[in-house]
Amino acid sequence: MATDPTRTYDVIVIGAGPVGENVADRTTAAGLHTVVVESELVGGECSYWACEPSKALLRPALLRADAAHVPGLAPAVKGPLDVEAVLAHRDRMSADWQDDGQVAWLASAGIELLRGHGRLAGEREVTVETPTGDTIRLRARHAVAVCTGSRAVLPPLPGIEEVRPWTSREATSAQRAPERLLIVGAGVVGVEMATAWQALGSRVTLLARGDRLLPRMEPFAGELVTERLREAGADVRFGTSVDGVRRVGGDVRATLSDGGQLGADEILFATGRAPRSQDIGLDHVGLTPGDWITTDDTLTVPAVPGDWLYAVGDVNQRALFTHQGKYQARVAGAVIAARAAGAPPHTGRWAPHSATADTEAVPAVVFTDPEVATVGLTVEAAERAGRDVEVIDHELGQLAGAVQYRPDYRGRARILIDRDRQVVVGATFAGPGVAELLYSATVAITGEVPVDRLWHAVPAFPTLSEVWLRLLETRRDL
């Protein structure tokens, strides 16, 4: 194993997922010589094992569900999905797990790529172990940004590794639909993969430890998703977890918390995420390997002196979504460029050098049937925070636009209004097609638009967006 002389850059980015790419793009555009270090595929989790492949699996299922309820279309979609075609589309959306296109983009943006495992080695220093076993030492003049993301967590069950369980990676990249799929976990990954694989022909059993699906969202969202999953044929069980698991031949045998047994061809654990920070040299800068990396609103790590270390995206646990990580990356890039130019970052609630949207108004979509879209506070979160809010609900199925979408439309909208400030602080929509309502809610919350002013934002008829008018009318009638 050889060690090259130290290479010096203005900025070193560890991790070439969407977050690392965006940090590097911003710093390079500011004239800073930037290198990105990546140990897997350029493009990261989102491109190959999360956002892109999962939505490619889900889109045919959701489109068929909508079409099956539209007069004149139902007979055309009665048959099963073409599984081979769906998986081929998924493969295309994942670029067949080849990163040539992403590598070409880095080069076109003037960003240098170094393949290998990067580790912090001291102040502004990184070592990279290359695939050939060589060690390359890097030094940053200005900043090192850790953008290593997160990974799926498996529960500490004896012998679980020998069972070869699925995590989100296997669930989105599988090359066939298992006849029986057991899913453990009631969060977004669990319900999305239940939706996708049930539609692709698997017999899905979904186990929730608690008493509802999507427990961090409004209860009605999980109730509607449960209803549709069961109608589609999935077996959804509450108050149930897995105490033991083993594989006998090709069969998975799970022992349940109630003493029962379940058999499946594959078992997916969708039970949480952990930071990819175990082996990136955190101990060399006074941090604990394996921990989430805490930052301030400039994405700087305050526990490390000198304002040179940044943690951006999932690894800082502020908001584990690709879109939020890219938002943070834009902020971090601006901060790094400002400091490199000798100017203090312009901080403040709405300043371009401060990340606030990843704590105050985080939009999220669950691509199930029905869709769930949420931003800001839920009722439970407002109560925990001691916020005095007014809760306004409206049945989406009462809208003309909803009936045009699906004559038997089932769904609900909820907004939370801060009684003192008279602005929207939370919104949840559950129903087919509601993802497109989310940006308007995000603008209303982040822009702190007064409720009286929202009356003058006139929605088009007949569309789902008319729910905003109905919510305001409902409030007027209180």
Side-chain angles (χ1 to χ4, degrees):
M1 181 175 69
T3 300
D4 286 358
T6 299
R7 304 180 188 179
T8 300
Y9 297 87
D10 292 320
V11 180
I12 301 168
V13 179
I14 304 177
V19 175
E21 288 177 324
N22 273 269
V23 172
D25 188 36
R26 292 300 171 117
T27 56
T28 300
L32 300 176
H33 187 199
T34 301
V35 64
V36 174
V37 180
E38 177 54 54
S39 61
E40 290 190 292
L41 295 176
V42 176
E45 199 83 8
C46 179
S47 298
Y48 307 103
W49 300 288
C51 318
E52 296 288 0
S54 66
K55 303 316 168 275
L57 292 174
L58 286 159
R59 176 59 177 159
L62 301 183
L63 186 58
R64 183 180 68 167
D66 288 339
H69 293 265
V70 175
L73 278 178
V77 294
K78 278 189 174 179
L81 291 174
D82 183 336
V83 177
E84 184 176 342
V86 173
L87 295 183
H89 170 60
R90 184 273 317 273
D91 293 351
R92 286 191 297 273
M93 293 303 295
S94 302
D96 291 308
W97 293 275
Q98 301 293 319
D99 63 2
D100 298 4
Q102 300 272 18
V103 171
W105 177 83
L106 283 180
S108 71
I111 303 165
E112 189 171 329
L113 170 65
L114 181 56
R115 291 194 184 271
H117 187 92
R119 296 180 178 87
L120 295 165
E123 183 175 346
R124 295 184 175 85
E125 294 182 351
V126 174
T127 59
V128 180
E129 184 179 338
T130 72
T132 61
D134 294 331
T135 299
I136 299 174
R137 298 187 183 280
L138 309 178
R139 180 164 181 80
R141 295 185 184 91
H142 299 294
V144 176
V146 176
C147 309
T148 50
S150 63
R151 59 179 176 81
V153 174
L154 291 173
L157 298 175
I160 191 170
E161 297 293 346
E162 286 70 33
V163 176
R164 304 183 304 280
W166 281 9
T167 66
S168 53
R169 283 198 170 194
E170 291 77 19
T172 56
S173 62
Q175 293 301 309
R176 64 175 184 85
E179 183 177 343
R180 300 164 300 161
L181 175 61
L182 175 58
I183 300 176
V184 184
V188 174
V189 172
V191 297
E192 286 193 345
M193 290 299 94
T195 300
W197 289 109
Q198 181 70 36
L200 289 168
S202 297
R203 297 202 309 272
V204 170
T205 301
L206 176 61
L207 305 182
R209 183 188 297 271
D211 60 359
R212 71 183 202 237
L213 301 184
L214 302 173
R216 296 184 180 181
M217 299 183 180
E218 297 287 9
F220 67 80
E223 291 166 5
L224 286 165
V225 173
T226 301
E227 181 181 312
R228 285 296 296 126
L229 279 173
R230 285 174 170 166
E231 288 176 2
D235 179 4
V236 182
R237 306 186 189 186
F238 296 104
T240 308
S241 57
V242 172
D243 286 347
V245 63
R246 60 195 176 97
R247 190 178 285 273
V248 181
D251 196 41
V252 174
R253 308 282 177 82
T255 301
L256 307 183
S257 55
D258 60 7
Q261 297 270 336
L262 273 178
D265 297 286
E266 301 291 350
I267 182 169
L268 163 63
F269 285 98
T271 49
R273 308 286 296 178
R276 290 182 181 274
S277 65
Q278 184 62 42
D279 188 24
I280 60 170
L282 291 186
D283 50 325
H284 288 119
V285 294
L287 302 177
T288 303
D291 279 1
W292 302 99
I293 306 176
T294 301
T295 71
D296 60 21
D297 286 347
T298 67
L299 288 313
T300 309
V301 181
V304 176
D307 292 340
W308 62 270
L309 183 63
Y310 299 77
V312 193
D314 280 13
V315 75
N316 63 31
Q317 206 186 13
R318 291 170 69 100
L320 276 64
F321 297 101
T322 297
H323 47 278
Q324 294 300 130
K326 292 165 71 173
Y327 160 75
Q328 292 177 16
R330 295 189 289 271
V331 173
V335 172
I336 292 168
R339 284 176 170 155
H346 174 49
T347 58
R349 192 174 180 198
W350 306 119
H353 299 163
S354 288
T356 55
D358 53 359
T359 56
E360 295 183 358
V362 178
V365 178
V366 188
F367 293 88
T368 46
D369 178 23
E371 287 179 343
V372 178
T374 180
V375 60
L377 296 173
T378 62
V379 172
E380 291 179 354
E383 290 174 349
R384 286 196 302 270
R387 301 283 288 275
D388 183 14
V389 296
E390 182 181 337
V391 181
I392 311 296
D393 288 347
H394 190 79
E395 294 299 319
L396 283 162
Q398 297 175 7
L399 300 173
V403 178
Q404 293 284 1
Y405 199 101
R406 278 167 60 159
D408 64 341
Y409 196 105
R410 285 174 288 177
R412 186 187 297 182
R414 169 174 290 175
I415 60 172
L416 276 59
I417 298 173
D418 186 297
R419 292 184 189 275
D420 295 329
R421 295 188 294 133
Q422 289 298 295
V423 295
V424 179
V425 292
T428 298
F429 309 98
V434 297
E436 301 307 326
L437 292 171
L438 191 55
Y439 189 66
S440 58
T442 305
V443 170
I445 293 172
T446 57
E448 298 181 323
V449 181
V451 173
D452 287 346
R453 185 65 178 160
L454 285 176
W455 277 101
H456 300 279
V458 181
F461 178 88
T463 65
L464 289 178
S465 62
E466 196 181 11
V467 72
W468 281 103
L469 175 59
R470 301 300 170 221
L471 287 163
L472 294 175
E473 289 178 337
T474 300
R475 179 176 187 260
R476 182 187 61 187
D477 293 339
L478 290 178

